[in-house]
Structure formats: structure tokens, C-alpha cells
Amino acid sequence: MAEFTMELSDEQREVRDWIHGFAADVIRPAAAEWDEREETPWPVIQEAAKVGIYSLDFYAQQFFDPTGLGIPMAMEELFWGDAGIALSIVGTGLAAIGVVANGTEEQVGTWIPQMYGDANDVKVAAFCSSEPDAGSDVGAMRTRAVYDQAKDEWVLNGTKTWATNGGIANVHIVVAVVDPDLGSKGHASFIVPPNTPGLSQGQKFKKHGIRASHTAEVVLEDVRVPGSCLLGGKDKLDERLARARERARAGGGERVKNAAMATFEASRPAVGAMAVGTARAAYEVALDYAKTRTQFGRPIIDNQGVAFQLADMRTQIDAARLLVWRASWMATTGKAFTSAEGSMSKLFASETAKKVTAQAVQILGGNGFTREYPVERMHRDAAIYTIFEGTSEIQRLVIARTLSGMPIR
């Protein structure tokens, strides 16, 4: 029997330390500036491309780490640097996951390189699922895709919202309804190539946190894409829709996953790792502050009220990391999420990030409430983890349904 170990390999530690160095030397010094500017940090993304962090090869290497820990380690270190800039660096990954999860080998080979560009001409991509009236309720999606058989083209109409890199992306991945009668099972994902007529950026959002990451609406008006831009191909879609219709007639049966959910299930542990990185960063600032800040003639960490908070913060961070690592390992080794372990990892890590960053602000007191110290920004950034890619309430619903086998609402 193979020996059980939780030790990282020499290669994994080397990669982790390399990413940490980039986060410390390049991301952190730029964090406050780009948070204030509320603009995409193109120079930082380009630096990441130059050293190989923003590239298809880098993410492929981490994705194929046989332990499953490559992606969560990378996410934790980048988001330890700064959440807004890190999301600008990794935001393309959600669109890439959408292609990998739903596309053919030819589509993966054709479109993912165009999502990243190269160090001399950096590109980004966007995954467009949420809508003004369809966030957690994907069944309420209104964006339609209609097949024009004569031209072998799909015609897309609708409005997407909360799209990371929406409108500025080179490639957009759009989830749309192809069969309204099937609800969320009647969805499909489409590649919208660069400079496609009819796609435009709507409102750009001014956000509470992760302000260095571009978030906007994407408007689709008679957007025509070739039939080859349907992820997975039409034969596969027709087979999936036929199964869904048969099960609907039979009154239920085995669940059929839709395109958006397949993407989110693959990415939830990675989002948990992002939250761990932000939480760890805030904890480290608070720990250092508590050891150097003196009140009543002694460091404030000498007070149990502060020391016990730090003990709880570190315990929760380590527990969150272990849940993320477990889910990532299970996904890589083909273990089914029989207890919704992916959702568990995202739920616990995101809630931990909100709590730990709030405690960090409290430990720094008035200083923590100012922008002179980074915990204020980290606290704002942490709020997103319990919202995007499935709110905490949705994660609890997924977990409860999985554990009970009941259609809990």
C-alpha cells in the first residue's frame, strides 16, 4: 500500500514559492493603485505572461498535477497577493474551463490559445452565464440561441451581466437557452469569436471589492456564430436534449447537467482556494500587527481577546485549505462528489474569508478601517467569495440536496 503523506513534493514547493514570489514582488506593490483606479491592470497581466504565469501552458501544467493540488496552490498564492489583480490574471480560466468541460478536442485546441494571446499581445476571455433576472436561478435564463440550419449558424440574443472581462475579452463563452421547455436542461454554451458583430459591452460595474477586475454587462443583438462554435457540437447537444425530453416525459429520473453547472462544479474548489489566499493574507497582517502594536505597555497579542481570535483565524484557514485540497484531489482522481465536497470547500472557505478579514480589521482597530492598511481592501474583496459562482445559500442547497436526496427548495 502506498504511503500516505500530506507533504508537497519538491516540484510543488518550487512552483508554489515561484508564484508566491511573483505575488509578493509584482502583485502586492501594485494592489492599492489598481484598486483605486478600478481598471484592468494590463501591465501586471503582461508581466505575468512574460514570466509564464498567464499562459495556457502554466494552467495546463497545474491542471494536470496528478495530486490535484496544482490549481489550488496557484490560486491561493496569487490571491494572497491581491484578489482584484489576481482575478484579472485568472479570470480567463473560467471561460477556459467552460471549453474544456463542454467542448471537443478541436475546440479546446483552437480557442483556448486565443483566450490568452502571448506576452507581446495579451488577450483575455469571458464566461457569460448570469443575467439581470437569472443569477442563482439559472432556469430563469432568457438569452436565446436559435439554429439557422440553412447557414449552419446559431443566432444569439440577450443580455448577460456580472461577466468578468465582459466586453473587453477576445473570446466570449456564452450560455444560452436552446430549448425553453426544458428549463435549465435546455441550455448550451457557445463560443463568440473576436470582433463578432452584434456583441457589445453594456454597463461596467463599479464594485465594492475586487475593483481591479473588469466586470460588465454583455449585450448580444442578433449575434451569429458558426455551427462549429457550439461547444460539444450539435450531435452531442441533440442527444442530450433528447434524453432530457424523455426523462421529462417519464416524470424525472437521472439528473442532466446543464452547461453552466458543469463549468461551476469544476471551478468551485479553485474559488475556495482564492478565498483561502485572501484570508491568509489578512491573518498574516493581523498577526504581525498584534505582535508589534503596543497598548498599556505590552503587545496587544499578549491579551487573550486578541490571541484567541488569531488562533481561531489560523485554525479556520487551515481547515478551509484542507477541504479545498480534498475536493481538488477528488476531482483529479475521478472520485465522485457524493457529499457535494466541491460545494463544501467553496462554502467553508468563502465564509472563512469573510470572517477572518473582518477579524483582521477589528484587530487593527482604527488603522484597519483606513486604506493605509491592506486589510480594509481584503475585507471588501472577501465579500465576493460568498456571492459569485454560487452564493453560500446555493452551496448549502446543493449540499443538503446531495446528502438527503430530496428536492429541497
Side-chain angles (χ1 to χ4, degrees):
M1 181 179 293
E3 180 184 357
F4 173 78
T5 180
M6 295 188 69
E7 289 285 341
L8 299 178
S9 68
D10 291 341
E11 182 179 355
Q12 287 173 323
R13 284 195 294 269
E14 183 178 343
V15 172
R16 180 198 62 191
D17 294 345
W18 170 54
I19 301 170
H20 182 82
F22 181 84
D25 297 339
V26 180
I27 294 178
R28 279 208 167 176
E33 174 189 353
W34 290 99
D35 178 72
E36 291 287 348
R37 291 175 64 168
E38 299 191 54
E39 297 174 357
T40 301
W42 290 107
V44 184
I45 300 174
Q46 188 169 35
E47 286 300 311
K50 286 179 179 178
V51 301
I53 289 177
Y54 186 76
S55 71
L56 172 61
D57 288 344
F58 170 75
Y59 288 107
Q61 289 172 9
Q62 303 317 307
F63 182 81
F64 289 111
D65 181 328
T67 68
L69 301 186
I71 291 294
M73 282 195 306
M75 295 300 105
E76 179 177 338
E77 296 305 329
L78 289 171
F79 281 74
W80 172 90
D82 176 68
I85 292 177
L87 190 57
S88 288
I89 293 173
V90 308
T92 293
L94 186 59
I97 289 172
V99 175
V100 172
N102 301 296
T104 65
E105 290 186 10
E106 182 179 358
Q107 289 170 332
V108 170
T110 299
W111 293 106
I112 291 185
Q114 296 187 50
M115 294 180 174
Y116 289 95
D118 56 47
N120 297 317
D121 187 18
V122 170
K123 305 292 186 183
V124 295
F127 182 76
C128 308
S129 177
S130 294
E131 298 184 2
D133 296 318
S136 298
D137 182 11
V138 294
M141 191 176 293
R142 296 180 180 177
T143 297
R144 295 289 188 264
V146 177
Y147 184 56
D148 183 342
Q149 187 170 3
K151 295 183 177 181
D152 186 27
E153 292 179 339
W154 289 89
V155 184
L156 280 63
N157 282 282
T159 299
K160 294 296 182 178
T161 193
W162 312 120
T164 299
N165 298 330
I168 66 170
N170 194 48
V171 178
H172 291 75
I173 303 301
V174 177
V175 182
V177 178
V178 295
D179 189 333
D181 293 336
L182 293 176
S184 63
K185 297 178 180 64
H187 296 177
S189 289
F190 298 86
I191 302 159
V192 181
N195 304 314
T196 298
L199 185 147
S200 62
Q201 178 183 309
Q203 176 187 3
K204 177 186 175 182
F205 296 103
K206 298 180 71 68
K207 305 188 298 294
H208 175 65
I210 55 167
R211 301 198 304 192
S213 173
H214 176 96
T215 309
E217 290 181 331
V218 174
V219 180
L220 303 125
E221 298 179 308
D222 291 329
V223 171
R224 285 183 169 267
V225 299
S228 60
C229 287
L230 166 64
L231 284 177
K234 195 166 187 306
D235 289 344
K236 183 177 178 181
L237 173 65
D238 289 343
E239 291 174 5
R240 178 167 62 81
L241 295 178
R243 291 197 305 270
R245 294 185 190 106
E246 181 60 32
R247 287 175 181 128
R249 286 192 292 269
E254 183 183 350
R255 177 174 174 251
V256 179
K257 295 178 182 177
N258 65 65
M261 290 302 100
T263 301
F264 291 145
E265 286 183 10
S267 65
R268 278 172 180 160
V271 176
M274 298 173 189
V276 171
T278 299
R280 190 183 111 212
Y283 158 78
E284 289 175 0
V285 172
L287 177 63
D288 182 66
Y289 185 89
K291 291 161 85 174
T292 57
R293 171 70 166 170
T294 59
Q295 290 286 279
F296 305 105
R298 61 181 183 175
I300 63 173
I301 199 170
D302 278 356
N303 298 294
Q304 287 187 4
V306 173
F308 284 9
Q309 281 193 75
L310 289 161
D312 286 343
M313 291 159 72
R314 177 57 187 269
T315 300
Q316 291 158 0
I317 291 167
D318 282 14
R321 182 184 297 108
L322 289 172
L323 283 171
V324 166
W325 283 16
R326 179 183 69 167
S328 301
W329 170 79
M330 291 177 68
T332 297
T333 56
K335 310 290 184 185
F337 288 165
T338 55
S339 298
E341 287 86 353
S343 289
M344 283 185 185
S345 69
K346 199 267 186 184
L347 170 65
F348 190 81
S350 60
E351 294 288 347
T352 292
K354 283 188 68 174
K355 183 175 181 180
V356 165
T357 55
Q359 288 175 302
V361 171
Q362 189 70 23
I363 289 171
L364 270 67
N367 286 327
F369 200 65
T370 71
R371 294 190 183 180
E372 297 300 314
Y373 288 80
V375 292
E376 177 272 341
R377 184 180 68 251
M378 294 167 182
H379 183 43
R380 286 189 286 108
D381 291 341
I384 194 60
Y385 298 126
T386 61
I387 298 172
F388 73 173
E389 295 199 46
T391 64
S392 288
E393 291 74 19
I394 289 297
Q395 305 307 325
R396 291 185 174 99
L397 184 64
V398 171
I399 295 166
R401 285 176 173 174
T402 304
L403 295 178
S404 68
M406 301 294 289
I408 299 169
R409 295 184 179 274

